Amino acid sequence: MNNYKVKGRPSKQTAIDPFRMVAAFLIVAIHTAPLSSFSKTADFLFSYCFARIAVPFFLMVTGYFVLAPLIVKKGSSTNPQTNSSSYKVFWKGVKKTALLYLAATILYLPVNIYSGKLPSLKDLFKTLIFDGTFYHLWYLPAALLGMLLLFLLSQKCSSLAMLILCGALYFLGVCGDSWYGLASQLPPIRSFYDILFGISSYTRNGIFYAPLFLLMGALISRSQVRKRFDFVMISMIGTFCSLLLMLGEGFLTYTMEWQRHNSMYFSLIPCMFFLFRLLLCLPGKSSKPVRDATLLIYLLHPLVIILIRGFAKLTHLSAYLVENSLLHYLAVCVGSAAVAFILSLFIQKLPKRRLP
């Protein structure tokens, strides 16, 4: 989703950039349910369990490149010049995300007007700050709010204190998401979430969801990642085992009908920890066109979904391009990627203009 890259970071030798494209197509899967024509259970496990690694991955990328310089161990000496540079990187990231959110809101405004889904004045704050101005745009205010929250915490708290606080917030978020049906059986907890859901439709927002993964990315950036065989194997086994654990957690909460939503799982934390470290161990190549295309796929794929549905209706191909969920997913992926890469190549040819 984001296209952050900071000079000096070792992204050229890692699989972070190549995995952006995988994560982008997983986000498309969340919004198209590619296996739903064949098995609802299989589609749930793929689209709403496995594919949930995509958004935390992008949050950790932001933390890794933008927040890491601000997360300094308490008591450590800092170079004022470096500290000033860190603030510049951070506020540049905040400004980029805010401008992107504004542009995306304007882009989808005609769709919202046509569909009659403009928020009322009463719901405007909730929509702009928490829910997002279109169904996939919640990520941008979540990233913004999460970055600002961590920035404020970093001025007063140690990394450990921040990790404990963000972990506690995430725990509350999970209890209001995939484990809600179980947690809400206690009346005081249900009352708490009743109040919370009047402010935000979900707990996957910039307070309960984003801060932990942003912080994890920043902390991993400050730790030493070794490309030794044993380190790679531990990361690989940890990723595989925690993925299986997440699928089990998702299946349990799904079959028990505890889920209010399905964005947050407890096992997503170890899964993302091991996966991100594994990607840092694996070889890869940094690519700005890929970063730009990934961002554009995220932004534009709902428009491509609308266009494909319209095209299928006009050409009487709905049975193939819409009703067949797998073909629909593939068509959206191909269409989104084609538009994204064409636009990214066009962007590359534009005169470069730096944000102040």
Side-chain angles (χ1 to χ4, degrees), residues 173-243:
V174 175
C175 290
D177 190 273
S178 58
W179 289 82
Y180 175 74
L182 180 63
S184 63
Q185 291 181 17
L186 294 174
I189 294 178
R190 178 180 285 273
S191 298
F192 167 75
Y193 285 113
D194 285 343
I195 296 171
L196 178 64
F197 292 133
I199 302 169
S200 174
S201 297
Y202 306 100
T203 52
R204 54 108 170 95
N205 55 40
I207 295 178
F208 299 100
Y209 181 78
L212 179 61
F213 294 111
L214 288 166
L215 182 60
M216 284 172 60
L219 294 177
I220 287 176
S221 176
R222 302 190 67 83
S223 64
Q224 188 176 5
V225 176
R226 301 176 179 86
K227 296 188 177 183
R228 297 183 328 207
F229 177 78
D230 58 340
F231 192 93
V232 174
M233 287 304 298
I234 290 171
S235 298
M236 191 176 296
I237 293 170
T239 301
F240 178 75
C241 292
S242 53
L243 266 175

Side-chain angles (χ1 to χ4, degrees), residues 29 32 64 114 198 217 233 259 268 273 292 299-300 341 343 355:
T32 55
Y64 185 83
Y114 178 78
M233 287 304 298
Q259 295 189 341
L268 190 57
F273 172 78
D292 290 339
L299 287 175
L300 300 177
F341 275 105
L343 286 176
L355 286 172

Side-chain angles (χ1 to χ4, degrees), residues 9 44 48 76 93 97 134 137 153 181 190 205 234-235 258 262 267 281 321 353:
R9 292 274 178 216
F44 173 81
Y48 306 115
S76 63
T97 306
F134 206 67
L137 295 180
L153 289 175
R190 178 180 285 273
N205 55 40
I234 290 171
S235 298
W258 290 339
N262 44 43
S267 46
C281 294
L321 295 178
R353 182 181 175 184

Side-chain angles (χ1 to χ4, degrees), residues 11-25:
S11 62
K12 292 182 180 180
Q13 295 82 28
T14 71
I16 294 294
D17 273 4
F19 193 78
R20 291 178 196 252
M21 193 60 63
V22 175
F25 289 136

Side-chain angles (χ1 to χ4, degrees), residues 13 20 28 32 34-35 40 46 49 71 82 106 119-120 147 200 211 243 247 249 277 280 289:
Q13 295 82 28
R20 291 178 196 252
V28 176
T32 55
L35 301 180
K40 288 186 177 180
F46 177 73
C49 288
I71 311 301
T82 303
I106 295 171
S120 63
M147 284 193 286
S200 174
L243 266 175
L247 292 174
E249 182 184 352
R277 286 166 69 90
L280 291 172

